[in-house]
mmCIF file of all heavy atoms in Angstrom:
data_model
loop_
_atom_site.group_PDB
_atom_site.id
_atom_site.type_symbol
_atom_site.label_atom_id
_atom_site.label_comp_id
_atom_site.label_asym_id
_atom_site.label_seq_id
_atom_site.Cartn_x
_atom_site.Cartn_y
_atom_site.Cartn_z
ATOM 1 N N LEU W 16 -36.951 -22.841 -71.523
ATOM 2 C CA LEU W 16 -36.549 -22.069 -72.700
ATOM 3 C C LEU W 16 -36.040 -23.002 -73.804
ATOM 4 O O LEU W 16 -35.280 -23.920 -73.530
ATOM 5 C CB LEU W 16 -35.466 -21.050 -72.356
ATOM 6 C CG LEU W 16 -35.837 -20.027 -71.255
ATOM 7 C CD1 LEU W 16 -34.614 -19.199 -70.915
ATOM 8 C CD2 LEU W 16 -36.974 -19.159 -71.721
ATOM 9 N N LYS W 17 -36.440 -22.737 -75.026
ATOM 10 C CA LYS W 17 -36.012 -23.547 -76.153
ATOM 11 C C LYS W 17 -34.668 -23.048 -76.684
ATOM 12 O O LYS W 17 -34.352 -21.875 -76.603
ATOM 13 C CB LYS W 17 -37.044 -23.519 -77.287
ATOM 14 C CG LYS W 17 -38.347 -24.230 -76.949
ATOM 15 C CD LYS W 17 -39.280 -24.243 -78.148
ATOM 16 C CE LYS W 17 -40.535 -25.031 -77.849
ATOM 17 N NZ LYS W 17 -41.450 -25.073 -79.004
ATOM 18 N N MET W 18 -33.906 -24.001 -77.237
ATOM 19 C CA MET W 18 -32.680 -23.611 -77.913
ATOM 20 C C MET W 18 -33.020 -22.707 -79.102
ATOM 21 O O MET W 18 -34.056 -22.877 -79.744
ATOM 22 C CB MET W 18 -31.941 -24.868 -78.420
ATOM 23 C CG MET W 18 -31.575 -25.833 -77.276
ATOM 24 S SD MET W 18 -30.414 -25.096 -76.099
ATOM 25 C CE MET W 18 -28.943 -25.071 -77.089
ATOM 26 N N ASP W 19 -32.143 -21.767 -79.364
ATOM 27 C CA ASP W 19 -32.322 -20.754 -80.419
ATOM 28 C C ASP W 19 -33.406 -19.734 -80.086
ATOM 29 O O ASP W 19 -33.769 -18.917 -80.975
ATOM 30 C CB ASP W 19 -32.602 -21.382 -81.784
ATOM 31 C CG ASP W 19 -31.403 -22.117 -82.362
ATOM 32 O OD1 ASP W 19 -30.266 -21.691 -82.065
ATOM 33 O OD2 ASP W 19 -31.579 -23.101 -83.079
ATOM 34 N N LYS W 20 -33.926 -19.783 -78.883
ATOM 35 C CA LYS W 20 -34.899 -18.761 -78.459
ATOM 36 C C LYS W 20 -34.234 -17.377 -78.501
ATOM 37 O O LYS W 20 -33.157 -17.187 -77.980
ATOM 38 C CB LYS W 20 -35.387 -19.073 -77.056
ATOM 39 C CG LYS W 20 -36.287 -17.990 -76.443
ATOM 40 C CD LYS W 20 -37.654 -18.037 -77.062
ATOM 41 C CE LYS W 20 -38.599 -17.053 -76.384
ATOM 42 N NZ LYS W 20 -39.913 -16.999 -77.038
ATOM 43 N N GLU W 21 -34.884 -16.429 -79.157
ATOM 44 C CA GLU W 21 -34.351 -15.062 -79.225
ATOM 45 C C GLU W 21 -34.587 -14.326 -77.911
ATOM 46 O O GLU W 21 -35.653 -14.463 -77.308
ATOM 47 C CB GLU W 21 -34.987 -14.287 -80.351
ATOM 48 C CG GLU W 21 -34.286 -14.431 -81.676
ATOM 49 C CD GLU W 21 -34.590 -13.280 -82.616
ATOM 50 O OE1 GLU W 21 -35.713 -12.794 -82.630
ATOM 51 O OE2 GLU W 21 -33.651 -12.878 -83.330
ATOM 52 N N ILE W 22 -33.603 -13.569 -77.489
ATOM 53 C CA ILE W 22 -33.773 -12.626 -76.403
ATOM 54 C C ILE W 22 -33.356 -11.263 -76.903
ATOM 55 O O ILE W 22 -32.506 -11.145 -77.783
ATOM 56 C CB ILE W 22 -33.040 -13.036 -75.124
ATOM 57 C CG1 ILE W 22 -31.519 -13.102 -75.346
ATOM 58 C CG2 ILE W 22 -33.538 -14.361 -74.602
ATOM 59 C CD1 ILE W 22 -30.771 -13.490 -74.077
ATOM 60 N N GLY W 33 -30.103 -11.607 -79.420
ATOM 61 C CA GLY W 33 -29.182 -12.726 -79.253
ATOM 62 C C GLY W 33 -30.009 -14.013 -79.219
ATOM 63 O O GLY W 33 -31.239 -13.972 -79.145
ATOM 64 N N LYS W 34 -29.313 -15.148 -79.298
ATOM 65 C CA LYS W 34 -30.014 -16.440 -79.271
ATOM 66 C C LYS W 34 -29.421 -17.344 -78.188
ATOM 67 O O LYS W 34 -28.208 -17.341 -77.980
ATOM 68 C CB LYS W 34 -29.889 -17.135 -80.629
ATOM 69 C CG LYS W 34 -30.776 -16.553 -81.699
ATOM 70 C CD LYS W 34 -30.757 -17.417 -82.935
ATOM 71 C CE LYS W 34 -31.704 -16.871 -84.013
ATOM 72 N NZ LYS W 34 -31.719 -17.723 -85.226
ATOM 73 N N ILE W 35 -30.279 -18.083 -77.528
ATOM 74 C CA ILE W 35 -29.834 -19.056 -76.532
ATOM 75 C C ILE W 35 -29.248 -20.263 -77.255
ATOM 76 O O ILE W 35 -29.923 -20.874 -78.080
ATOM 77 C CB ILE W 35 -30.975 -19.483 -75.617
ATOM 78 C CG1 ILE W 35 -31.507 -18.272 -74.811
ATOM 79 C CG2 ILE W 35 -30.549 -20.623 -74.681
ATOM 80 C CD1 ILE W 35 -32.767 -18.560 -74.024
ATOM 81 N N ILE W 36 -27.981 -20.571 -76.967
ATOM 82 C CA ILE W 36 -27.351 -21.697 -77.650
ATOM 83 C C ILE W 36 -26.946 -22.814 -76.684
ATOM 84 O O ILE W 36 -26.520 -23.886 -77.114
ATOM 85 C CB ILE W 36 -26.098 -21.233 -78.424
ATOM 86 C CG1 ILE W 36 -25.083 -20.594 -77.492
ATOM 87 C CG2 ILE W 36 -26.472 -20.284 -79.544
ATOM 88 C CD1 ILE W 36 -23.733 -20.334 -78.160
ATOM 89 N N ILE W 67 -37.411 -11.385 -72.686
ATOM 90 C CA ILE W 67 -37.744 -12.676 -73.274
ATOM 91 C C ILE W 67 -39.250 -12.637 -73.577
ATOM 92 O O ILE W 67 -40.046 -12.390 -72.690
ATOM 93 C CB ILE W 67 -37.414 -13.844 -72.331
ATOM 94 C CG1 ILE W 67 -35.914 -13.874 -72.038
ATOM 95 C CG2 ILE W 67 -37.864 -15.177 -72.939
ATOM 96 C CD1 ILE W 67 -35.490 -15.013 -71.141
ATOM 97 N N VAL W 68 -39.603 -12.844 -74.838
ATOM 98 C CA VAL W 68 -40.981 -12.619 -75.317
ATOM 99 C C VAL W 68 -41.626 -13.951 -75.642
ATOM 100 O O VAL W 68 -41.051 -14.792 -76.338
ATOM 101 C CB VAL W 68 -40.981 -11.707 -76.550
ATOM 102 C CG1 VAL W 68 -42.417 -11.470 -77.015
ATOM 103 C CG2 VAL W 68 -40.300 -10.373 -76.208
ATOM 104 N N PHE W 69 -42.838 -14.152 -75.111
ATOM 105 C CA PHE W 69 -43.659 -15.299 -75.403
ATOM 106 C C PHE W 69 -44.979 -14.807 -75.995
ATOM 107 O O PHE W 69 -45.210 -13.626 -76.122
ATOM 108 C CB PHE W 69 -43.906 -16.129 -74.123
ATOM 109 C CG PHE W 69 -42.661 -16.778 -73.602
ATOM 110 C CD1 PHE W 69 -41.766 -16.062 -72.812
ATOM 111 C CD2 PHE W 69 -42.358 -18.090 -73.943
ATOM 112 C CE1 PHE W 69 -40.600 -16.663 -72.355
ATOM 113 C CE2 PHE W 69 -41.192 -18.697 -73.496
ATOM 114 C CZ PHE W 69 -40.341 -17.988 -72.691
ATOM 115 N N GLU W 70 -45.821 -15.759 -76.385
ATOM 116 C CA GLU W 70 -47.043 -15.403 -77.091
ATOM 117 C C GLU W 70 -47.951 -14.507 -76.239
ATOM 118 O O GLU W 70 -48.527 -13.567 -76.767
ATOM 119 C CB GLU W 70 -47.803 -16.672 -77.484
ATOM 120 C CG GLU W 70 -49.074 -16.390 -78.281
ATOM 121 C CD GLU W 70 -49.767 -17.659 -78.696
ATOM 122 O OE1 GLU W 70 -49.158 -18.748 -78.656
ATOM 123 O OE2 GLU W 70 -50.942 -17.567 -79.071
#
Side-chain angles (χ1 to χ4, degrees):
L16 300 174
K17 291 184 177 180
M18 301 297 288
D19 290 329
K20 174 74 176 176
E21 273 203 322
I22 61 179
K34 286 188 176 181
I35 296 172
I36 59 170
I67 298 181
V68 180
F69 292 83
E70 182 178 344

